[in-house]
Amino acid sequence: MKKYITTPIYYVNDIPHIGHAYTTVAADVLSRFYRLKEEDVFFLTGTDEHGTKVAGAAESLGKSAKDFCDEISFEFVKEWKNLDIKYDRFIRTTDAGHIKCVKTVLKELYDRKQIYKGIYEGLYCTGCEKFLAESDLVEGVCPHHKKKPEKYSEENYFFKLSLYKDKLIKILSDKNDPDYMEVKPDERKNEIIGKLKLGLDDISISRSKVEWGVPLIFDESQTTYVWIDALINYISAIGCKSSSGFNKWWPADCHLMAKDILWFHAVIWPAVLMAIGISPPKKLFAHGFFTLNGQKMSKSLKNMIRPSELTGKFGVDATRYLLLSLFPFGIDGDISWDALTKKYNADLANNIGNLLARTIAMVEKYFDGKTPSPGGENKFSILDKIMEFDTYMKNLEFHLAINVVQSAADASNKYIEETAPWVLFKKNDPKLANVLYGLLESIGIITIHFQVFMPNASEKMWASLGAKKSLMTASEEFFDGKIDFLLPGSKISKSPPLFPRI
Ligand code: MSP
């Protein structure tokens, strides 16, 4: 089956911080999981480059908007490479193909009489790139950017969003609707439905004073509202409406984002799609925010942590792991260096690192560094511990998926204490071979599961087992129900500690 997985496309007004990395690592982990399950995956990420916010950032540095976008977009590409993100496409809204698709979609909306001209008057927050109602403000300022929105009045084109209110409520709540769009977590879906029930206004989808954008094909004096431009990336990236790529990949299987932009994805995006005869995405997942001392991490609050600060301290694999293991994916989580370090030491240095180091050291000492033969007795197994892994991954409950693997490592460490291989060795007990074989096999199974989170460290763990098959082949076989990757007699190898204690 195909799986089309996306992240939001990030504004290039600033270089990536760990909030951006959070969604992107999650999408990468999910994509790797489905690839491991031999699904056909298309993983899309990219940058959102038009609009007032980006143009303003370029201007303040005395750079042309395009040069500035090229520079910052490249920072995202570099950061994702550094974090081992394996996307299939990195889209930029300044790509010619994307611009063409935006024009096509807007023209079609216009031709289908879904657009009309009107006067917009209201409040606009450039930080959010969106209109705010008085009721959205907290003490007169935008709650996300802590800035007073600007008064705004101009002639714009409007999209008849209000026409879709009932249909949207239906596709959000009725599982039997052919266009059913799953929104997770449920509380967020319910918030959206509640808000929809209060009423839905048409929205302005163009700007007369913003030059850095895609001109409307039916009125070149206006450019496309940056959010409409941006949402269209999800179809422009696969070839736009009616192309073979579109036919293959659409509808998207999972749009990932944080809760701040769920309304755009759960209301505006499906309405635009339905207005041009395209089905909505199948699933949206809105995760929580990383906060620092209770505040959302963002440029305007100047409290960002950069991914390199984490990778510098913990390494790339552990950073990916820590981002997804600290909190449930759906809720906010306050980050602190102390909590990150504790989690790293407990899970990676102590539990996993220790299991590997002890097992390898014992095989070296008792079996001359060669994988022993399993022998006839019942072998140790962690399979019952790890059974729920798939379900948790499919539900994007990454921290629970991680927990079951940790509990398997925990059980393996306890098994070492219980069987006391050093005593078996002294007694020349033949059970020793079976115990160590079981432990090596457990490490292999733990590695098979952890590779989606920690691809490089997993390859290293795998290499030390001296297995007869590659990690990929063994994984495919494992998920088909076969465990056969160790080779009695083959040399295991000691590697420098993968997760040195901090
Ligand atoms: N450009 C729009 C998205 C258009 S998608 C069609 C945008 N860009 S953004 O740069 O502001 O990125 C927002 C996204 O970045 C969030 O939805 C989330 O995925 C991620 N995060 C940004 N800050 C974050 C945190 N502090 N915590 C968690 N995720 C964060 O909105």
Side-chain angles (χ1 to χ4, degrees), residues 187-418:
E187 311 85 87
R188 303 252 154 78
K189 173 182 71 182
N190 295 336
E191 274 168 29
I192 298 280
I193 295 176
K195 210 170 150 196
L196 274 172
K197 285 184 175 160
L198 294 176
L200 185 62
D201 293 331
D202 293 344
I203 54 158
S204 154
I205 48 101
S206 71
R207 294 286 178 277
S208 66
K209 296 182 188 116
V210 180
E211 276 174 33
W212 185 235
V214 182
L216 296 180
I217 216 166
F218 47 87
D219 182 350
E220 298 246 326
S221 72
Q222 301 241 347
T223 55
T224 311
Y225 171 37
V226 61
W227 261 102
I228 298 292
D229 173 354
L231 288 163
I232 293 171
N233 93 87
Y234 298 128
I235 61 169
S236 73
I238 47 172
C240 208
K241 207 187 162 187
S242 312
S243 65
S244 59
F246 174 86
N247 293 337
K248 171 162 187 199
W249 296 108
W250 196 259
D253 295 275
C254 189
H255 285 322
L256 282 165
M257 73 210 75
K259 58 186 181 179
D260 54 340
I261 56 175
L262 181 59
W263 178 261
F264 290 100
H265 286 80
V267 173
I268 299 174
W269 181 223
V272 166
L273 289 168
M274 290 189 290
I276 55 169
I278 296 180
S279 356
K282 285 198 204 150
K283 178 168 177 163
L284 312 178
F285 194 106
H287 62 71
F289 286 143
F290 270 156
T291 57
L292 258 187
N293 306 319
Q295 284 202 309
K296 185 193 166 197
M297 210 177 289
S298 73
K299 185 178 184 191
S300 40
L301 302 178
K302 298 193 175 59
N303 62 352
M304 291 92 62
I305 297 182
R306 303 294 176 194
S308 58
E309 294 177 64
L310 291 193
T311 54
K313 178 161 179 182
F314 301 109
V316 170
D317 288 284
T319 295
R320 294 170 51 105
Y321 176 92
L322 290 172
L323 287 177
L324 293 182
S325 62
L326 273 182
F327 323 101
F329 195 50
I331 62 168
D332 289 352
D334 212 44
I335 280 272
S336 74
W337 284 102
D338 194 38
L340 287 165
T341 310
K342 277 200 181 117
K343 183 85 178 145
Y344 170 91
N345 281 333
D347 284 15
L348 298 178
N350 294 351
N351 209 19
I352 300 288
N354 228 353
L355 173 64
L356 183 68
R358 287 162 96 189
T359 307
I360 297 286
M362 289 191 288
V363 176
E364 285 200 314
K365 198 161 160 199
Y366 308 146
F367 290 95
D368 195 23
K370 291 189 188 131
T371 305
S373 296
E377 280 171 67
N378 278 350
K379 204 169 13 103
F380 171 62
S381 168
I382 51 164
L383 288 180
D384 59 326
K385 296 270 175 313
I386 230 148
M387 238 152 42
E388 300 295 321
F389 183 83
D390 275 26
T391 311
Y392 289 141
M393 288 300 290
K394 285 178 187 157
N395 291 340
L396 288 87
E397 292 172 304
F398 300 115
H399 76 296
L400 294 181
I402 284 173
N403 283 353
V404 296
V405 189
Q406 283 296 346
S407 74
D410 211 31
S412 308
N413 274 318
K414 289 210 175 88
Y415 178 70
I416 298 182
E417 300 306 324
E418 282 158 19

Side-chain angles (χ1 to χ4, degrees), residues 153-201:
S153 166
E154 65 176 38
E155 197 172 49
N156 287 161
Y157 289 89
F158 282 70
F159 167 55
K160 295 179 182 169
L161 181 62
S162 58
L163 289 182
Y164 295 90
K165 182 180 136 190
D166 293 340
K167 178 71 182 163
L168 285 166
I169 294 175
K170 184 142 190 301
I171 66 167
L172 283 162
S173 29
D174 180 1
K175 288 195 176 139
N176 296 319
D177 191 292
D179 285 336
Y180 175 63
M181 184 176 70
E182 186 184 357
V183 174
K184 288 280 173 190
D186 288 336
E187 311 85 87
R188 303 252 154 78
K189 173 182 71 182
N190 295 336
E191 274 168 29
I192 298 280
I193 295 176
K195 210 170 150 196
L196 274 172
K197 285 184 175 160
L198 294 176
L200 185 62
D201 293 331

